[in-house]
Amino acid sequence: GPMMTISADDVTVKDISCDAYGTVGAFAYKAYVYSNRLRTLVDGCRFFDGMQGVEFDNTGSAAQHCKISNCYAENMVGSGFLLKGALDSHVIGSTTKSCGDGAISLYNASRCTATGNTVYTSEQGITIDAGSKSNTISGNRIFGDKAGVTAVTGYYGIDLKNNSHFNTISGNTVEGCIIGIAARYGDAGNQNDCWNNIITGNTITNILGKTIGTAYGMF
């Protein structure tokens, strides 16, 4: 299970550092900090070499009005920061480096924001997935394939997929990925069109074909 499970409302976790926790496998519940409560704040924390950094989960309870701010996650097998079914929750001013699929992940999340974050990615930088709706992804910087900074390629900068709708993706910068921003049908198990999303005012540069061939600013 998680290293730290929040079991009460209105808890703040501040200025801790965690290293090397979890094994490869069913990593969804092996976060350093896990909360399905109201108004959890995780601020100024650092997470290294684990499965997930922070997970806000609405399963069975109410991960609402939670916030991750000024945090850092590096070398997570899963997400650095995961909002799973969370409501009205936020990832602000935080950094992920070399994390797995969805370094910052909104999964069936609603009315959440990811704002002012920096992502160094080799897979998917920021994902909006699994019926996520009415979220705002703005003012983030996503970098792929930065030699000496992160690994391999940088596939999707921002990946919008799987029946996610009424989301706004605006004012982000994506550099050095294979696909800058994707709005697509999705992956097996949750396949459905995305619709009524707004993608505006983003800057996409240095798109890299690498060994797979074609690269896209938007897909």
Side-chain angles (χ1 to χ4, degrees):
M3 176 178 283
M4 180 184 298
T5 298
I6 307 302
S7 56
D9 297 337
D10 300 294
V11 171
T12 295
V13 180
K14 188 172 179 64
D15 297 334
I16 64 169
S17 182
C18 303
D19 193 4
Y21 174 70
T23 55
V24 174
F27 55 78
Y29 299 103
K30 293 183 180 294
Y32 282 115
V33 178
Y34 172 91
S35 175
N36 60 1
R37 306 295 300 188
L38 297 173
R39 296 177 298 275
T40 303
L41 170 61
V42 182
D43 179 70
C45 297
R46 298 173 63 83
F47 308 100
F48 300 92
D49 302 312
M51 305 310 299
Q52 315 261 28
V54 179
E55 179 178 350
F56 293 151
D57 185 3
N58 209 40
T59 303
S61 189
Q64 298 184 47
H65 303 288
C66 297
K67 183 189 293 185
I68 298 161
S69 59
N70 306 308
C71 288
Y72 180 87
E74 181 176 339
N75 291 332
M76 299 295 127
V77 174
S79 299
F81 309 118
L82 171 61
L83 308 184
K84 183 183 178 186
L87 305 173
D88 299 298
S89 295
H90 313 285
V91 184
I92 299 172
S94 295
T95 300
T96 65
K97 176 182 171 184
S98 299
C99 294
D101 186 350
I104 297 174
S105 180
L106 281 64
Y107 189 93
N108 192 30
S110 298
R111 303 186 305 274
C112 294
T113 64
T115 305
N117 302 290
T118 302
V119 177
Y120 299 98
T121 182
S122 59
E123 295 188 35
Q124 277 88 336
I126 298 177
T127 56
I128 308 98
D129 192 2
S132 291
K133 60 184 183 295
S134 303
N135 303 289
T136 299
I137 310 299
S138 65
N140 302 285
R141 300 182 304 155
I142 301 102
F143 300 96
D145 198 41
K146 304 293 282 185
V149 177
T150 190
V152 198
T153 53
Y155 202 91
Y156 295 98
I158 300 173
D159 191 15
L160 172 69
K161 58 185 176 179
N162 294 334
N163 195 32
S164 296
H165 47 278
F166 297 110
N167 300 286
T168 299
I169 299 172
S170 66
N172 302 283
T173 300
V174 182
E175 178 181 342
C177 291
I178 291 173
I179 296 170
I181 299 175
R184 62 192 182 97
Y185 189 62
D187 302 315
N190 239 326
Q191 292 181 324
N192 237 317
D193 290 337
C194 296
W195 42 275
N196 280 17
N197 297 286
I198 297 172
I199 302 174
T200 183
N202 301 284
T203 301
I204 302 170
T205 61
N206 195 24
I207 299 305
L208 306 175
K210 304 301 273 187
T211 58
I212 67 163
T214 306
Y216 300 88
M218 289 189 63
F219 177 80

